[in-house]
Amino acid sequence: MCIRDSYCTSVVTGTQVIESSNDLVVPQGRGGTEFDPVFHHIDKSGEQPVGLVYLTDGYGYVGVEQPQYDVLWVITECGDKDFTPPFGEVIHLG
């Protein structure tokens, strides 16, 4: 099993395949977040993921419809405590 990783601000700024902890890199991009580009990127790939784990501060906009896969929103410790996306499960770190 491999994990695909994408970085997003208002566009997808990078992707990588992670097969081990040695494959991790520093994410690219910072700033205003739009969540939709990652969902569009997945749609365009033609792949059907088992699920998506979205690590975020929760400050952004979700405008896409619920995908056919599970979504887990992981909100960082300093993130938006009131983040309530239109789909998926939400957990807060810290």
Side-chain angles (χ1 to χ4, degrees):
M1 179 174 98
C2 70
I3 298 171
R4 293 196 185 278
D5 187 15
S6 297
Y7 316 111
C8 179
T9 53
S10 60
V11 297
V12 173
T13 57
T15 62
Q16 72 179 100
V17 174
I18 301 171
E19 294 180 359
S20 78
S21 61
N22 295 330
D23 296 333
L24 297 174
V25 299
V26 175
Q28 303 298 311
R30 303 273 306 170
T33 302
E34 292 181 26
F35 300 117
D36 297 357
V38 169
F39 294 99
H40 295 307
H41 182 75
I42 292 169
D43 289 345
K44 288 180 186 176
S45 76
E47 295 183 23
Q48 184 63 32
V50 174
L52 170 66
V53 177
Y54 216 126
L55 179 64
T56 177
D57 61 10
Y59 295 105
Y61 173 74
V62 182
V64 296
E65 292 184 20
Q66 182 171 352
Q68 296 296 312
Y69 46 87
D70 293 329
V71 178
L72 175 63
W73 302 89
V74 180
I75 309 303
T76 57
E77 187 174 357
C78 295
D80 181 357
K81 302 295 186 211
D82 297 320
F83 179 71
T84 52
F87 54 82
E89 299 292 322
V90 177
I91 62 172
H92 294 268
L93 299 177

